[in-house]
Amino acid sequence: MDLLLHLAIVIAIYTIFALSLNVEIGYTGLFNFGHVAFFAIGAYTSALLTLSGIPFAVGLLAGLALAGLCGFLLSIPALKLQGDYFGIATLGFGEILRMVVNNEVWLTKGPMGLPGIPRPSLFGVVFDTLPGYLALSGGMALATFAVLSFVVLSPFGRALKAVRDDETAAEILGKNAFRFKIKSFVIGSVFAALAGVLWAHYTTFISPGDFTLTETILVLLIVVMGGKGTFLGPVVGAVVLIFFQESVRFLRLPPEWTRLLGPLQQMVFGLLLIVFMVFRPEGIIREKGGRRGD
């Protein structure tokens, strides 16, 4: 039972993470390869503040605000780059942030990580049990799904799709594509930080190893495999991939096999990403009105 609760909690957190990336990739066409940086900003901000005695609600809001600010500041120069260069710039930001976290030992304890992160407490309720944390993370995931669905169904969301499909045509119709991209980037950054906050307070320990390129590949695969630009695609992708990833951890394998588990998972994720990008880029759930191969 505890394993099922654990799976459900991790799926809920990664659903938020994937939905946040889907706003950028699926609805705006921004391939952000440094999305894990905002996951880390939320996690470290809330962890550091709560470890110093500040309430969880303040740490949560501070994490979201800092991620939104960093997303805004990064988006201004990065969005002036086109195509692959934008992806490389965001990838560089993710690696720079990881190196900062790894080297600023006075603040983050570097590779040793931050242990003893307190369980969250809201309105006098402490979420220190698996069912309680599932209620919190599941509620946050549902709220994220509702908010982002409202955003993409609004005129703002339709403008994002117009920018994604034909930026020049959108500008001819009076839409400022650059501003819409910035807003999309900031929204994605804020919700990625929310997932990071939940992750930090669930595991109660974070280190730079939690925020590597592997996490970026995993969340990218969740969005691509599930179906980018759809409501349910990231949810389906999170259920399938997190179930696979977390279930493998609990297999009773010979000791000589366990050291190969991590590299094998990375190889499987990388291979799946290539297969889906080549043979079914629209993912398991195809975007309504989308063409095969879009």
Side-chain angles (χ1 to χ4, degrees):
M1 188 62 184
D2 285 353
L3 173 60
L4 292 176
L5 290 171
H6 166 73
L7 282 171
I9 291 169
V10 178
I11 287 170
I13 293 172
Y14 271 84
T15 295
I16 297 172
F17 196 13
L19 287 169
S20 68
L21 185 60
N22 192 37
V23 174
E24 298 176 20
I25 289 180
Y27 291 99
T28 320
L30 300 174
F31 277 82
N32 179 359
F33 295 119
H35 203 53
V36 72
F38 303 101
F39 186 74
I41 290 171
Y44 268 96
T45 303
S46 184
L48 288 169
L49 291 177
T50 52
L51 281 170
S52 63
I54 293 174
F56 169 74
V58 177
L60 170 64
L61 294 176
L64 304 189
L66 184 59
L69 177 62
C70 290
F72 175 73
L73 294 176
L74 172 64
S75 66
I76 293 175
L79 287 171
K80 292 179 180 176
L81 304 173
Q82 299 295 322
D84 298 341
Y85 297 103
F86 170 77
I88 293 170
T90 55
L91 179 63
F93 176 74
E95 283 301 296
I96 289 170
L97 186 85
R98 190 177 65 82
M99 294 300 290
V100 169
V101 170
N102 201 42
N103 289 289
E104 297 302 321
V105 180
W106 64 274
L107 179 65
T108 64
K109 295 188 179 179
M112 293 182 294
L114 292 174
I117 301 169
R119 295 292 191 184
S121 173
L122 284 172
F123 309 111
V125 178
V126 181
F127 299 92
D128 57 353
T129 63
L130 287 176
Y133 211 91
L134 177 58
L136 175 66
S137 56
M140 292 283 190
L142 287 174
T144 300
F145 185 87
V147 170
L148 294 183
S149 297
F150 175 78
V151 168
V152 298
L153 286 174
S154 68
F156 172 76
R158 291 195 290 274
L160 291 183
K161 286 185 177 180
V163 170
R164 177 197 65 183
D165 294 339
D166 193 331
E167 185 174 334
T168 303
E171 289 189 335
I172 290 173
L173 293 173
K175 304 297 182 185
N176 188 321
F178 188 66
R179 288 186 180 179
F180 276 101
K181 288 181 179 179
I182 290 177
K183 292 175 182 176
S184 171
F185 201 88
V186 171
I187 291 171
S189 302
V190 169
F191 281 96
L194 173 61
V197 171
L198 291 171
W199 177 259
H201 290 274
Y202 175 59
T203 60
T204 69
F205 173 81
I206 55 174
S207 70
D210 296 333
F211 310 104
T212 62
L213 184 60
T214 302
E215 292 302 310
T216 297
I217 294 173
L218 174 59
V219 73
L220 181 62
L221 179 57
I222 288 173
V223 175
V224 171
M225 193 182 83
K228 62 182 188 294
T230 65
F231 295 128
L232 292 177
V235 181
V236 172
V239 170
V240 173
L241 283 177
I242 298 302
F243 181 82
F244 166 73
Q245 177 182 261
E246 295 299 310
S247 298
V248 171
R249 295 180 194 272
F250 293 93
L251 292 178
R252 294 183 178 179
L253 298 173
E256 61 271 21
W257 287 25
T258 54
R259 64 185 176 84
L260 301 175
L261 204 55
L264 280 175
Q265 279 187 339
Q266 294 177 25
M267 289 174 62
V268 170
F269 290 155
L271 183 61
L272 281 174
L273 186 58
I274 293 171
V275 168
F276 268 87
M277 290 298 287
V278 172
F279 296 104
R280 194 174 171 86
E282 68 271 25
I284 296 172
I285 298 177
R286 187 179 300 175
E287 182 180 358
K288 188 177 181 181
R291 295 169 300 177
R292 183 177 175 81
D294 285 348

